[in-house]
Amino acid sequence: MVENLMNEITILQTVFRLFTTQGIQLFTMDDIAAKLGISKKTLYRFFTSRHDLVKQVCTLAAANYNQSMEEADKTEINNLRRVLSYMTVNVNFCKATSPAFFTDLQKHYPAESAALVNTLNNIIHSRILKVLEQGIVEGVFRGSLHPKLVVTILQQHIQKDFEFAAELVNDYSKDEVFRQAMYLFLYGIIAPEAIPQLESELQHFSFPNKMAHTEINESI
């Protein structure tokens, strides 16, 4: 009965959670089938191999990250708030994803790792670049900024902050590590005269508890 209820979406939903929260190498196809309560034959009917599952999980991770960014785009907000929204998407993506997922991906599936990182960077790059350029014109961000360079530096920081947060869990919460990293970035780009505006926004700002990429999109 259980096997009859299983479909590709349900399987991918479960594997997505397993891989992104615990890593890839912990789970063989036998383990995945056992977790799902189905036979390995049923699992292979939908996915040809663990490598196939890895590719699908990476595609889903990128699609859900993009969906979260698109949700941030829809809000009628100013450029400062939009930067905060984009940073929130990044923080919650990092909070919801285990470093083991990216470590396993880079070590055992380098092509998929490079493709995923490149896709994630492309998704955020144009958005941050646009709000920085607009914010400079508005006087919200410092006129001395080099927007393209700042975005490149930010992307490197996001990756390093993610790795660093995993190492500091015994001393600090992930929330606090990412919050402080975000503050460093924001105070680095804000125009002096806009600091009161930033501090006002931060007083009412909090990270959402859940991000869209934790749920599978059935259209994928």
Side-chain angles (χ1 to χ4, degrees):
M1 180 66 177
V2 174
E3 296 206 8
N4 290 336
L5 295 174
M6 281 292 163
N7 56 41
E8 185 175 358
I9 297 297
T10 305
I11 293 171
L12 184 56
Q13 190 174 33
T14 300
V15 175
F16 178 83
R17 286 195 295 266
L18 291 174
F19 284 1
T20 59
T21 62
Q22 299 181 53
I24 301 167
Q25 292 305 106
L26 286 177
F27 303 102
T28 63
M29 294 294 274
D30 285 313
D31 296 326
I32 294 167
K35 289 280 186 182
L36 290 162
I38 61 176
S39 67
K40 193 162 64 170
K41 180 180 179 181
T42 299
L43 178 59
Y44 276 111
R45 191 166 77 232
F46 296 106
F47 300 96
T48 59
S49 63
R50 187 172 67 172
H51 193 179
D52 183 21
L53 278 166
V54 168
K55 290 179 180 179
Q56 296 295 330
V57 166
C58 287
T59 298
L60 181 58
N64 285 331
Y65 180 79
N66 187 61
Q67 180 183 340
S68 295
M69 285 293 184
E70 288 179 347
E71 289 299 319
D73 290 335
K74 293 177 184 177
T75 310
E76 293 295 331
I77 50 179
N78 58 41
N79 285 307
L80 178 55
R81 288 184 180 177
R82 184 148 287 154
V83 166
L84 288 171
S85 296
Y86 293 154
M87 296 297 288
T88 299
V89 172
N90 275 302
V91 167
N92 284 287
F93 179 86
C94 292
K95 284 170 58 181
T97 309
S98 168
F101 171 66
F102 281 105
T103 299
D104 287 347
L105 197 62
Q106 185 175 31
K107 183 176 181 180
H108 301 282
Y109 305 94
E112 285 72 23
S113 175
L116 177 58
V117 170
N118 185 60
T119 299
L120 297 177
N121 283 340
N122 287 338
I123 290 170
I124 190 174
H125 186 279
S126 59
R127 288 177 165 89
I128 295 290
L129 183 61
K130 181 179 179 180
V131 296
L132 286 181
E133 291 173 342
Q134 291 177 343
I136 289 172
V137 174
E138 296 171 351
V140 176
F141 303 132
R142 291 190 293 108
S144 59
L145 291 179
H146 187 308
K148 289 184 179 180
L149 179 56
V150 169
V151 174
T152 300
I153 293 172
L154 173 62
Q155 289 173 325
Q156 290 299 313
H157 269 289
I158 290 171
Q159 180 178 345
K160 294 301 180 183
D161 292 341
F162 176 65
E163 297 170 356
F164 197 46
E167 297 172 1
L168 294 177
V169 290
N170 292 329
D171 299 313
Y172 306 97
S173 69
K174 281 188 176 182
D175 275 354
E176 190 59 26
V177 173
F178 289 124
R179 184 180 292 108
Q180 293 300 322
M182 186 179 74
Y183 289 168
L184 284 173
F185 172 72
L186 291 170
Y187 279 97
I189 66 173
I190 199 74
E193 57 272 21
I195 289 177
Q197 181 184 349
L198 171 61
E199 294 184 338
S200 176
E201 294 289 351
L202 290 175
Q203 285 180 357
H204 307 289
F205 181 79
S206 61
F207 298 141
N209 293 323
K210 190 174 183 181
M211 203 187 142
H213 90 275
T214 60
E215 297 295 329
I216 191 166
N217 184 338
E218 294 200 10
S219 67
I220 300 302

